[in-house]
Amino acid sequence: MDDPAQPVRYFALQGSDSVDHWITNLSFEPVDFEGGALNVKIHAGIYKAAEKLLAQLLPMVEEHMARHGAAARLVFTGHSLGGAIASALVMILVHREYVPREAVDKVYTYGCPAFICESCGCDCKTGECACAGGNAKLLERLDLAPSVFNHLCMHRDIVPRAFACDYTLIQSILCKSDVYREHGCLKGNKEKRYTPSLYRHV
């Protein structure tokens, strides 16, 4: 949808409403985001869904950019799964240089799950890490201000907490798996800097 008064195009993505969407939600193993170039892991299902939607939305993004040039602005919004996909799409668009960072006005999400995690950059053991988990460095690499991303969640909504809650009780079990052994967020220690979790919010 386009703003009738200014060169802003809005993209709104819905949350889960089908079996396929829940398959996406539950495909939560961490994979390299953008080939590992940004030193983060991302929820596999959300990344796959974002790349699929990118092929559909990119022509609309490019048409808007071509029409308005440097004045063009994009706003993404989404609920639940849609919010995570919207956030991932913005980072993909900027990283692949489909749009300049200045073109991204805001991202608004509602009940968005945590879906991304800074990779561990030190040779540490689980429970000793103090470098992994946060995503400030990711936004710095993309040259995106934290204020671009705006999240709203209800205090009893389980979705934003599902992957970001305290995984201390099952940390050792998950870390026995090859998939999670070196996963940065799980190396946290709640008595130090990070509570062990699967992912963080952007």
Side-chain angles (χ1 to χ4, degrees), residues 34-87:
E34 297 295 85
L38 294 168
N39 196 44
V40 295
K41 298 285 188 178
I42 187 171
H43 180 297
I46 288 169
Y47 192 25
K48 182 178 180 180
E51 290 198 296
K52 183 177 180 180
L53 264 179
L54 177 67
Q56 300 176 38
L57 298 181
L58 188 57
M60 289 181 273
V61 171
E62 292 177 332
E63 182 272 331
H64 183 68
M65 299 300 297
R67 184 193 303 177
H68 297 288
R73 294 293 180 268
L74 305 169
V75 173
F76 285 77
T77 186
H79 168 251
S80 190
L81 175 63
I85 294 172
S87 299

Side-chain angles (χ1 to χ4, degrees), residues 73-199:
R73 294 293 180 268
L74 305 169
V75 173
F76 285 77
T77 186
H79 168 251
S80 190
L81 175 63
I85 294 172
S87 299
L89 274 170
V90 164
M91 292 187 286
I92 291 170
L93 287 168
V94 172
H95 179 249
R96 298 183 188 178
E97 299 183 347
Y98 289 128
V99 301
R101 63 170 179 78
E102 296 84 3
V104 179
D105 190 10
K106 295 289 183 182
V107 179
Y108 297 101
T109 75
Y110 305 88
C112 174
F115 68 94
I116 205 157
C117 178
E118 182 82 17
S119 294
C120 177
C122 65
D123 185 17
C124 64
K125 296 179 180 179
T126 298
E128 297 178 354
C129 185
C131 74
N135 295 311
K137 292 180 181 178
L138 168 62
L139 297 183
E140 288 175 8
R141 294 183 196 107
L142 293 170
D143 201 18
L144 286 170
S147 59
V148 168
F149 296 88
N150 301 270
H151 308 294
L152 175 68
C153 68
M154 302 301 288
H155 70 292
R156 292 186 178 178
D157 188 351
I158 192 173
V159 173
R161 296 168 172 79
F163 297 130
C165 63
D166 186 355
Y167 275 67
T168 299
L169 288 176
I170 59 171
Q171 181 184 33
S172 61
I173 298 172
L174 288 172
C175 287
K176 291 178 181 178
S177 164
D178 290 341
V179 175
Y180 297 107
R181 185 170 292 119
E182 298 301 323
H183 188 49
C185 287
L186 278 174
K187 286 192 173 186
N189 185 323
K190 64 181 181 181
E191 294 180 358
K192 295 182 181 179
R193 188 173 176 185
Y194 295 111
T195 297
S197 65
L198 282 188
Y199 295 104

